[in-house]
Amino acid sequence: MEIKVKDVIQVCNARLATGNEDIVCDNFSKDTRTIEEGDIYIGIKGENFDGNTLYEQAFERGAKACILQGIEVSEEIKNRYNDRAIILVDDTIKALQQIATYKRSLYNIPVIAITGSVGKTSTKDIIASVVAEQYKVLKTQGNLNNHIGVPLTILGLKDHEALVVEMGMNNLGEISVLTKIAKPDIAVITNVGTSHIGNLGSRENILKAKLEILDGLREGGTLIINNDNDLLNLWNKERGAEAGTFNVVTYGIDNDSCYAAESIELAENSSKFEVEINGETTEINVPVGGKHFVYNALSAVAVGAKLGIPAQKIKQGIENFELTKSRMEIVKLEGGATIVNDCYNANYDSMRAAIEYLAKTNSSRKIAVLGDMLELGKFSNELHTKVGEEVAKNKIDILVTVGEMGKVIAGTARKLDVETYEYDSNDEAVIKIKEILKPNDVVLIKASNGMKFKCIVEKLVENSAEEALKQ
């Protein structure tokens, strides 16, 4: 399954400026800061810098080949690095995707692709944990789910027996590109909500964007969908002409589905339900709280069953899974309070789910620290207002907000008699949280990633450690 420099040249219609065509390309990197000995460096031109200009740094750190665009290679450079390789292409991002497409073609293994408005990363984690009970799995690290992250994930394939890859998007056409590279055997759509509605204009367009995952689905492949999502449910009933080109498997709680959760028991840090797998009723224990994680677990049940993984292994994989950091991460502070760190990203659907989770926690007070949800465009005011209504509806004791749209959340909640504090900066919010925090409080911290709420979590953890040392 080796890829050599000469393969890269052929696949990308590239030119070898210097070096050996037989160099093996096994590890790829786009970051000179983390590059390791023997890596292949790909120069990516970003908004603020051009990685193509950093190739000498890559060589100094041990890269054995560099793939570059827009660079003039002097005779001096050619002579200096003639034991390495410099490959010149018209577009390094396109080249990265072409190499990944080629690498995918070398592997006859099950590929599972996941997309959706909410819960992609946690669903990816729980599915990968189930698949890992029977296969050696490569999965997307963190949320490297875009036009660069997906190809880099695929290029990490070595002796793996299955691939679980997450696919994100901001606009129409983006998932189509990714799925044609990954060519999944199984595609999962977790839901269709409001994330990126500012770019796409409507939930119907978001549905259209998510369904692009079918563009690369192998013939006869399987699409697994959340049947409780209104738009996915309706689409499945009306898809008509597409029937027969792929199989559809459904999961849900409220609607009749192929995999339906029964006898659900929701606890603060876990949940339990029963589901029929291959005619056998199996009790599933999910090590994370919240109804939305029952849905995530159901999707993993559907994937595991499709791959022929026995029910007990599916059960074990779900019970053993670990969340990616900053997603419903439970952090116990030294003083006795608990943080629910869900600050990686936010849209209305995930905000509502997190607030509902907070409401069900066994705590003396429930505190929500919420910030702006980004990329909502003309829908921003409406959706932030709805978040404020959810805060009141779920009887959250105290609301702390940061940001311009956070003020909309706060204003709505205040009118509905919620004790509310609103701030312009994270530092101001931290001061207030430290002032009001008591033992046995549970604090939900959530906003879009651009709000940098991770800093709030870090400062509260640091403060609790300092206070503990004083005692």
Side-chain angles (χ1 to χ4, degrees):
M1 307 256 186
E2 285 183 349
I3 296 178
K4 294 185 177 181
V5 166
K6 60 186 174 184
D7 298 316
V8 172
I9 293 169
Q10 182 174 355
V11 166
C12 303
N13 192 26
R15 179 169 66 86
L16 184 64
T18 189
N20 184 348
E21 287 190 347
D22 291 319
I23 290 174
V24 175
C25 306
D26 40 17
N27 295 310
F28 291 78
S29 173
K30 66 177 182 65
D31 191 339
T32 57
R33 296 168 298 180
T34 58
I35 205 161
E36 296 182 0
E37 187 75 29
D39 282 357
I40 308 302
Y41 175 68
I42 301 180
I44 303 293
K45 188 171 184 177
E47 291 182 9
N48 301 315
F49 71 95
D50 186 355
N52 292 282
T53 64
L54 304 177
Y55 68 93
E56 288 192 77
Q57 289 183 26
F59 280 141
E60 288 166 8
R61 292 177 182 267
K64 59 184 178 183
C66 290
I67 302 172
L68 309 170
Q69 73 175 62
I71 295 294
E72 292 292 332
V73 183
S74 66
E75 289 301 318
E76 178 191 352
I77 293 293
K78 290 178 181 179
N79 292 331
R80 187 186 308 168
Y81 298 113
N82 60 10
D83 61 330
R84 320 285 181 93
I86 297 177
I87 305 164
L88 300 180
V89 298
D90 293 333
D91 184 327
T92 50
I93 292 177
K94 184 177 179 181
L96 173 66
Q97 295 170 350
Q98 289 170 325
I99 301 164
T101 302
Y102 174 66
K103 180 129 190 181
R104 167 67 181 98
S105 73
L106 301 177
Y107 284 77
N108 184 24
I109 61 174
V111 174
I112 301 97
I114 300 149
T115 193
S117 294
V118 184
K120 291 185 294 295
T121 300
S122 51
T123 302
K124 174 258 301 181
D125 288 335
I126 200 166
I127 287 174
S129 185
V130 166
V131 177
E133 291 293 319
Q134 189 146 307
Y135 298 89
K136 182 174 181 180
V137 176
L138 175 67
K139 71 172 183 175
T140 300
Q141 295 303 303
N143 74 318
L144 295 174
N145 61 18
N146 65 3
H147 62 301
I148 295 173
V150 169
L152 283 173
T153 297
I154 293 169
L155 289 173
L157 283 167
K158 291 184 172 56
D159 59 344
H160 300 96
E161 300 166 330
L163 172 66
V164 179
V165 62
E166 176 184 338
M167 295 180 179
M169 64 89 200
N170 294 312
N171 290 288
L172 288 164
E174 294 176 353
I175 288 179
S176 181
V177 171
L178 302 181
T179 188
K180 288 173 183 175
I181 296 170
K183 295 183 177 61
D185 304 278
I186 299 172
V188 179
I189 304 179
T190 62
N191 44 57
V192 177
T194 57
S195 182
H196 309 299
I197 196 169
N199 295 341
L200 290 155
S202 68
R203 288 186 66 225
E204 287 71 22
N205 276 343
I206 296 171
L207 171 66
K208 185 177 178 181
K210 300 304 181 186
L211 287 170
E212 288 174 6
I213 202 166
L214 296 172
D215 293 352
L217 186 67
R218 292 198 162 189
E219 189 171 348
T222 297
L223 174 66
I224 297 172
I225 60 170
N226 178 351
N227 204 34
D228 287 352
N229 182 265
D230 56 343
L231 291 185
L232 287 171
N233 181 294
L234 181 63
W235 169 83
N236 190 37
K237 290 175 180 175
E238 296 180 344
R239 62 193 178 91
E242 294 171 315
T245 59
F246 53 87
N247 306 304
V248 176
V249 172
T250 58
Y251 64 90
I253 297 172
D254 301 324
N255 291 314
D256 185 30
S257 303
C258 302
Y259 296 93
E262 305 285 351
S263 305
I264 300 171
E265 296 178 24
L266 298 176
E268 185 171 326
N269 297 317
S270 63
S271 60
K272 183 189 299 183
F273 64 90
E274 292 181 349
V275 63
E276 188 173 300
I277 306 173
N278 298 326
E280 172 187 348
T281 298
T282 304
E283 184 179 271
I284 303 291
N285 296 289
V286 187
V288 182
K291 184 179 179 181
H292 48 306
F293 276 93
V294 174
Y295 283 109
N296 295 348
L298 283 170
S299 72
V301 168
V303 170
K306 181 63 185 176
L307 293 176
I309 299 173
Q312 285 306 305
K313 284 191 174 183
I314 293 173
K315 172 183 171 71
Q316 187 171 316
I318 291 171
E319 292 176 356
N320 291 340
F321 105 99
E322 295 181 1
L323 271 175
T324 295
K325 294 290 186 183
S326 299
R327 288 168 171 83
M328 297 300 288
E329 178 187 5
I330 306 301
V331 181
K332 297 286 186 181
L333 299 182
E334 297 289 347
T338 300
I339 288 176
V340 181
N341 176 13
D342 197 26
C343 66
Y344 184 79
N345 224 332
N347 54 50
Y348 170 67
D349 306 278
S350 64
M351 278 280 199
R352 181 180 61 187
I355 291 166
E356 288 174 350
Y357 169 79
L358 176 63
K360 291 182 171 64
T361 59
N362 181 23
S363 57
S364 58
R365 296 188 307 174
K366 300 163 178 60
I367 302 172
V369 182
L370 307 179
D372 295 1
M373 303 179 292
L374 306 178
E375 298 182 343
L376 297 179
K378 66 181 181 180
F379 300 93
S380 188
N381 196 76
E382 173 192 345
L383 292 172
H384 284 89
T385 298
K386 290 175 73 173
V387 170
E389 291 169 352
E390 288 294 327
V391 170
K393 173 184 169 184
N394 285 278
K395 296 180 169 56
I396 303 307
D397 297 293
I398 300 173
L399 170 66
V400 179
T401 68
V402 179
E404 283 303 308
M405 298 313 298
K407 293 175 183 176
V408 176
I409 300 174
T412 304
R414 187 181 300 110
K415 290 176 184 176
L416 297 169
D417 297 324
V418 178
E419 182 181 341
T420 303
Y421 305 91
E422 57 188 76
Y423 298 100
D424 293 317
S425 73
N426 292 345
D427 287 342
E428 290 174 299
V430 169
I431 292 169
K432 187 62 184 181
I433 297 163
K434 290 194 298 189
E435 177 188 314
I436 64 176
L437 199 60
K438 295 179 181 179
N440 203 36
D441 285 346
V442 175
V443 185
L444 168 68
I445 300 179
K446 188 167 181 64
S448 283
N449 196 35
M451 296 298 291
K452 297 181 169 54
F453 268 28
K454 181 181 177 182
C455 298
I456 295 179
V457 176
E458 291 171 347
K459 288 176 180 178
L460 292 176
V461 171
E462 288 170 8
N463 180 70
S464 72
E466 290 169 1
E467 291 297 319
L469 287 173
K470 292 176 185 177
Q471 296 174 3

